[in-house]
Amino acid sequence: METIKNVLVGQSGGPTAVINASLAGVYETARAMGAEHVYGMRYGIQGLLQEQIVDLNECLSDKMDIELLKRTPASYLGSCRFRLPNPDVDEEPYKQLFHLFEKYEIGAVFYIGGNDSMDTIARLAAYGAKVKSSIRFIGVPKTIDNDLMFTDHTPGYGSAAKYIAATIKGIICDSSVYNLNSVTVVEIMGRHTGWLAGAASLAAGADCNGPDMILLPERAFDEKAFLAKVSQLEKERHTLVIAVSEGVKNKDGEFLCDLVSGPGAVDAFGHKAALSGTARYLADLIKAHLGCKTRAVELSVLQRCASPLASRTDVTEAYQVGGAAVEAAFRGETGKMCTIYRVSDIPYRTETGLTDVSRVANKEKCVPDEWISEDGMHVTPEFARYARPLIQAELHPFYVDGVPRHLHL
Amino acid sequence: METIKNVLVGQSGGPTAVINASLAGVYETARAMGAEHVYGMRYGIQGLLQEQIVDLNECLSDKMDIELLKRTPASYLGSCRFRLPNPDVDEEPYKQLFHLFEKYEIGAVFYIGGNDSMDTIARLAAYGAKVKSSIRFIGVPKTIDNDLMFTDHTPGYGSAAKYIAATIKGIICDSSVYNLNSVTVVEIMGRHTGWLAGAASLAAGADCNGPDMILLPERAFDEKAFLAKVSQLEKERHTLVIAVSEGVKNKDGEFLCDLVSGPGAVDAFGHKAALSGTARYLADLIKAHLGCKTRAVELSVLQRCASPLASRTDVTEAYQVGGAAVEAAFRGETGKMCTIYRVSDIPYRTETGLTDVSRVANKEKCVPDEWISEDGMHVTPEFARYARPLIQAELHPFYVDGVPRHLHL
């Protein structure tokens, strides 16, 4: 096993509040273990193919930079949504990349991302083995969607969940100030899985009942049952707040967000109207059938980039998986993804582990059936038992001039 | 001048992050000055007419309750949007209210709200004078819109501005992760004035350029000039973020949000499509004319109820105007609104003052012309000099089980 001189790290896929904490974990651990240079890919593997490389030794020399980096949302290095081709069909990008690895004397490559990014690591590791390279390739999990297999959860999810829970709690306050009946439908990210929508349940506590209903993409939308439940709850409660995953589909497999506009609806400029969302669809549906005052709120991009509501547990674990990935590479591992293993719920304790990256790539973990309530319109207490520890504690930004200070390249 | 035995306080209009800090200021000051009971109106004057009254002595006996109250968004007592009639036309509600004041031995009434609420105080004070009542009526300013006259600013604005600035900063991070051109249009509250949209400029600092354009309702929207500027900026910059006030109108006085859907657009249920907003309109406009990738984000209700981003300056001042209102009533003042007077910008210092509530009622303060940039599509540094002090410092929620703990009746 050859020693590692320099390492290379990239970020890929959508932003999270803690992806940069993983970068800090990779950087600090690699330096501590003796790497001379830690290089960063600008805009992931796509930027790397254009040799967009930065020397992180120059950017992160002060411990203050590391603290700022941990508190900076989105992707410090920039990101991409780019998949490597099958090398049997097109070997060119692999040749290019391995040439760059040689040029920069790279002994290990780390890629922080979701299941698409794990596909990149799997392909690079397989190609490396084929060409008998000694370079190690390790994946670092990241996604607010929490849909990666073989890990208890993914860094990024806890902070998104904390943002969603706190925001739903604020919306419940906001919606109950008037002595009027109303229904507020809040749209939450999650095209295929309901992990994020389910996190709305964490708003509940001694001072808040939490959302009245939660719809997840794991269950097909049943209009009749839905309207019956809204109608029944409306009789009991002053105001309703319904959390809905953007990816909810009806029994025919159509996304509700695709049904919002009437047939042939156009925008002000005569083009096909943009989809205005699942929450809008449900708010319109309730209004049309039950006649009550409705409101649609879309949490939008805020749920993935809200550093003021980062979970300290999440930041810490994001850092740890970054560090553990480096340790694994220095031990000689390759083609692996770092995982989080939950030792116990109470007290909450985790360890890092490793799994074959090819087992993770391109797969999706759904919310278990038994964590969804029988009528399919809420989550069970088991969901909260799982998710509650992930939103514990805070890591506040450094506020400068009234706003969070970030670190940028 | 008669002594004051009990006092009554109500909250009115839309939620803010700090309206309950004003309530805490009224409560604690009134008790400290010798009031036996501090009663609260449930759902403002509308609930009061149904004798929905709570004894706050019973709800706020522990100092911990006061601290939680200061950190609870929306309206602890509940709110209403209700205007008292002209007493010459309909005296009945006045008789009812003054009968209740007598029944509960009320010596002073405080109403925390915006310009509609100041109308209520003005009418009650005028009626009180007419019937020779010794009860004092004092208004406590509150509105995220910052549109009240004769006060440097309104409590509630600073926290909304801090939320907007921090969120725009996060959105700028989020929108710049990919190496792609894109335009993100962010819709901010403010139907008639641009104080909130202007606060987007506070995202700017050493680590952020802030939004590229800001559109305020104080200026009519000029499509040609707008598209020309977007087109020009797009050539210079990777990604654009545009902040827009929901209340922007075109030269014909039509709200842009009214123009979103094509003529006769209906929702999925055949009803007239809901307005999907000013940001959506502009995103569609840019896409139609310039062909680039656009995204519309609506900050929605979050900007007025985000306790995690409350400004400590705002919380403190909200508490102070509540207390100053009580002091004024005990001095014998009536028919007044408490104001904030800025002593200096650097260091930022304020004092509380008083103004005739009838001068404030039903009027609106716009962003001064000289604080809007010449092309009408940004704000000048004077705007930030004014607004920056209002977002300084934080008052973090008490996090319990990972989410902010609130106080509820």
Side-chain angles (χ1 to χ4, degrees):
Chain A
M1 194 169 75
E2 294 181 28
T3 57
I4 290 174
K5 188 180 179 208
N6 302 326
V7 309
L8 178 64
V9 56
Q11 298 175 311
S12 178
T16 83
V18 304
I19 187 172
N20 292 326
S22 289
L23 180 62
V26 168
Y27 175 79
E28 292 210 301
T29 311
R31 292 303 306 273
M33 294 189 81
E36 261 178 57
H37 289 274
V38 179
Y39 293 109
M41 320 175 188
R42 293 285 279 144
Y43 305 112
I45 222 76
Q46 199 170 23
L48 181 60
L49 283 164
Q50 297 156 354
E51 206 175 338
Q52 295 195 51
I53 292 171
V54 289
D55 187 343
L56 290 175
N57 294 19
E58 290 166 18
C59 317
L60 302 175
S61 55
D62 183 344
K63 276 277 184 186
M64 180 64 169
D65 297 327
I66 298 289
E67 287 307 319
L68 283 172
L69 185 62
K70 287 186 201 165
R71 289 163 172 83
T72 298
S75 304
Y76 175 73
L77 292 171
S79 183
C80 66
R81 293 195 180 278
F82 177 81
R83 295 178 72 122
L84 283 172
N86 180 341
D88 296 338
V89 177
D90 179 10
E91 202 181 345
E92 203 42 53
Y94 294 88
K95 285 184 181 166
Q96 241 182 294
L97 291 171
F98 278 75
H99 168 72
L100 286 170
F101 298 153
E102 201 178 328
K103 177 174 171 186
Y104 287 88
E105 300 179 78
I106 303 297
V109 176
F110 305 98
Y111 211 39
I112 311 169
N115 34 29
D116 284 356
S117 312
M118 294 311 132
D119 180 74
T120 297
I121 282 291
R123 286 175 185 268
L124 286 172
Y127 187 84
K130 195 177 130 195
V131 299
K132 302 208 178 350
S133 163
S134 65
I135 302 170
R136 293 129 216 191
F137 298 92
I138 307 281
V140 181
K142 167 251 50 157
T143 168
I144 61 164
D145 290 326
N146 199 38
D147 59 356
L148 295 192
M149 301 289 284
F150 307 110
T151 183
D152 180 75
H153 57 278
T154 56
Y157 175 62
S159 295
K162 190 179 183 86
Y163 177 86
I164 289 163
T167 302
I168 288 280
K169 204 165 180 215
I171 291 172
I172 291 171
C173 280
D174 184 273
S175 69
S176 59
V177 299
Y178 299 117
N179 196 9
L180 293 167
N181 289 333
S182 71
V183 181
T184 302
V185 188
V186 185
E187 181 166 333
I188 295 169
M189 283 182 171
R191 198 74 178 164
H192 305 291
T193 65
W195 294 107
L196 291 169
S201 68
L202 304 177
D207 58 334
C208 179
N209 291 325
D212 301 282
M213 296 166 75
I214 301 178
L215 305 183
L216 302 90
E218 280 82 354
R219 293 293 178 89
F221 178 69
D222 178 339
E223 183 176 302
K224 204 176 145 193
F226 173 76
L227 287 170
K229 183 153 180 183
V230 173
S231 173
Q232 176 216 319
L233 290 175
E234 248 225 311
K235 288 186 190 99
E236 299 164 11
R237 299 171 202 181
H238 187 52
T239 51
L240 297 186
V241 173
I242 300 172
V244 62
S245 194
E246 61 177 345
V248 169
K249 294 176 186 173
N250 63 18
K251 284 170 180 167
D252 301 324
E254 298 166 305
F255 285 114
L256 300 189
C257 62
D258 286 344
L259 306 173
V260 174
S261 303
V266 292
D267 68 19
F269 314 101
H271 299 114
K272 189 176 178 304
L275 300 174
S276 51
T278 308
R280 178 82 270 150
Y281 177 85
L282 292 177
D284 289 348
L285 178 75
I286 294 165
K287 197 174 162 207
H289 285 83
L290 306 175
C292 50
K293 189 175 172 263
T294 62
R295 186 170 61 167
V297 176
E298 218 181 305
L299 295 196
S300 190
V301 299
L302 312 178
Q303 62 203 287
R304 67 183 181 202
C305 65
S307 62
L309 276 159
S311 151
R312 186 169 194 127
T313 302
D314 191 26
V315 174
T316 302
E317 291 180 342
Y319 185 94
Q320 287 173 343
V321 292
V326 172
E327 285 174 348
F330 275 78
R331 276 201 313 271
E333 301 277 3
T334 188
K336 307 281 176 172
M337 182 188 85
C338 201
T339 59
I340 297 173
Y341 169 73
R342 187 181 301 218
V343 179
S344 71
D345 280 330
I346 303 173
Y348 174 73
R349 284 178 302 159
T350 57
E351 286 173 5
T352 57
L354 285 180
T355 190
D356 278 353
V357 75
S358 55
R359 295 175 73 203
V360 180
N362 309 312
K363 292 194 190 76
E364 240 167 30
K365 184 171 74 178
C366 291
V367 176
D369 208 48
E370 60 274 23
W371 293 2
I372 302 172
S373 64
E374 214 168 326
D375 68 5
M377 293 186 273
H378 217 295
V379 292
T380 66
E382 282 72 32
F383 187 98
R385 185 155 57 206
Y386 164 81
R388 178 76 68 190
L390 312 181
I391 68 166
Q392 295 300 315
E394 293 73 49
L395 184 74
H396 296 299
F398 295 155
Y399 285 88
V400 177
D401 246 358
V403 290
R405 173 57 65 95
H406 301 145
L407 188 75
H408 292 297
L409 266 173
Chain B
M1 194 170 74
E2 293 181 29
T3 58
I4 290 174
K5 188 180 179 211
N6 301 327
V7 309
L8 178 64
V9 56
Q11 297 174 310
S12 178
T16 82
V18 304
I19 186 171
N20 292 326
S22 289
L23 180 61
V26 168
Y27 175 79
E28 292 209 302
T29 311
R31 292 305 305 275
M33 293 190 80
E36 263 177 55
H37 290 273
V38 179
Y39 292 109
M41 321 175 187
R42 291 286 278 143
Y43 306 113
I45 222 76
Q46 198 170 23
L48 181 61
L49 283 165
Q50 298 157 353
E51 204 174 337
Q52 293 195 53
I53 291 170
V54 290
D55 187 342
L56 291 175
N57 294 19
E58 290 166 17
C59 317
L60 303 175
S61 55
D62 183 344
K63 276 277 187 187
M64 180 64 168
D65 297 327
I66 299 290
E67 288 306 320
L68 283 172
L69 185 61
K70 286 186 202 165
R71 289 163 172 83
T72 298
S75 303
Y76 175 73
L77 292 171
S79 183
C80 66
R81 293 196 181 278
F82 177 81
R83 294 178 72 123
L84 283 172
N86 179 340
D88 296 337
V89 176
D90 179 10
E91 202 182 346
E92 203 42 51
Y94 294 87
K95 285 185 179 166
Q96 240 181 297
L97 290 171
F98 277 76
H99 167 72
L100 286 171
F101 298 154
E102 200 178 329
K103 178 174 168 186
Y104 287 88
E105 300 178 79
I106 303 298
V109 175
F110 305 98
Y111 211 39
I112 312 169
N115 34 30
D116 284 356
S117 312
M118 295 310 133
D119 180 74
T120 297
I121 283 291
R123 285 175 185 269
L124 287 172
Y127 186 84
K130 194 176 131 193
V131 300
K132 303 204 177 354
S133 164
S134 66
I135 302 170
R136 294 129 215 191
F137 298 92
I138 307 281
V140 181
K142 168 250 50 156
T143 169
I144 61 165
D145 291 324
N146 199 38
D147 59 355
L148 296 191
M149 302 288 285
F150 308 110
T151 183
D152 179 75
H153 56 279
T154 57
Y157 175 62
S159 295
K162 190 180 183 84
Y163 177 86
I164 290 163
T167 302
I168 288 279
K169 203 164 181 217
I171 291 172
I172 291 170
C173 280
D174 184 273
S175 69
S176 59
V177 298
Y178 299 116
N179 196 7
L180 293 168
N181 290 334
S182 70
V183 182
T184 302
V185 188
V186 185
E187 180 165 335
I188 294 169
M189 283 181 171
R191 198 74 178 163
H192 304 291
T193 64
W195 294 107
L196 291 169
S201 68
L202 304 176
D207 58 334
C208 179
N209 292 326
D212 301 282
M213 295 167 74
I214 301 178
L215 304 183
L216 303 90
E218 280 82 354
R219 293 291 178 90
F221 177 70
D222 178 340
E223 183 177 302
K224 204 176 145 194
F226 173 76
L227 287 171
K229 183 153 181 184
V230 173
S231 174
Q232 175 215 319
L233 290 174
E234 248 224 310
K235 288 186 190 98
E236 300 165 13
R237 298 172 202 180
H238 187 53
T239 51
L240 296 186
V241 173
I242 300 172
V244 61
S245 194
E246 61 177 345
V248 168
K249 295 176 186 172
N250 64 18
K251 284 171 179 164
D252 302 324
E254 298 167 305
F255 284 113
L256 300 189
C257 62
D258 287 344
L259 305 173
V260 174
S261 302
V266 292
D267 67 20
F269 314 101
H271 299 113
K272 188 175 179 306
L275 300 175
S276 49
T278 308
R280 178 80 272 149
Y281 177 85
L282 293 177
D284 290 347
L285 178 75
I286 293 165
K287 198 175 161 207
H289 285 83
L290 305 176
C292 49
K293 190 175 171 263
T294 62
R295 187 169 61 169
V297 176
E298 218 181 305
L299 295 195
S300 191
V301 299
L302 311 178
Q303 62 203 289
R304 68 184 181 202
C305 65
S307 62
L309 277 158
S311 151
R312 187 171 193 125
T313 302
D314 192 25
V315 175
T316 302
E317 291 180 341
Y319 185 95
Q320 287 173 343
V321 291
V326 172
E327 285 175 349
F330 274 79
R331 276 202 313 272
E333 300 278 1
T334 188
K336 307 281 176 174
M337 182 187 84
C338 201
T339 59
I340 296 172
Y341 169 74
R342 189 181 300 217
V343 179
S344 71
D345 280 331
I346 302 173
Y348 174 72
R349 285 177 300 158
T350 57
E351 285 173 6
T352 58
L354 284 180
T355 189
D356 278 351
V357 75
S358 55
R359 294 174 74 202
V360 179
N362 309 313
K363 292 192 191 79
E364 239 168 30
K365 184 171 73 177
C366 290
V367 176
D369 209 47
E370 61 273 23
W371 292 2
I372 302 172
S373 63
E374 213 169 325
D375 69 4
M377 293 187 271
H378 218 296
V379 292
T380 67
E382 282 71 32
F383 187 97
R385 184 154 57 205
Y386 163 82
R388 178 76 69 189
L390 312 182
I391 69 166
Q392 294 300 315
E394 294 72 48
L395 184 73
H396 295 299
F398 295 154
Y399 285 88
V400 177
D401 247 359
V403 290
R405 173 56 64 94
H406 300 145
L407 188 75
H408 292 298
L409 264 172

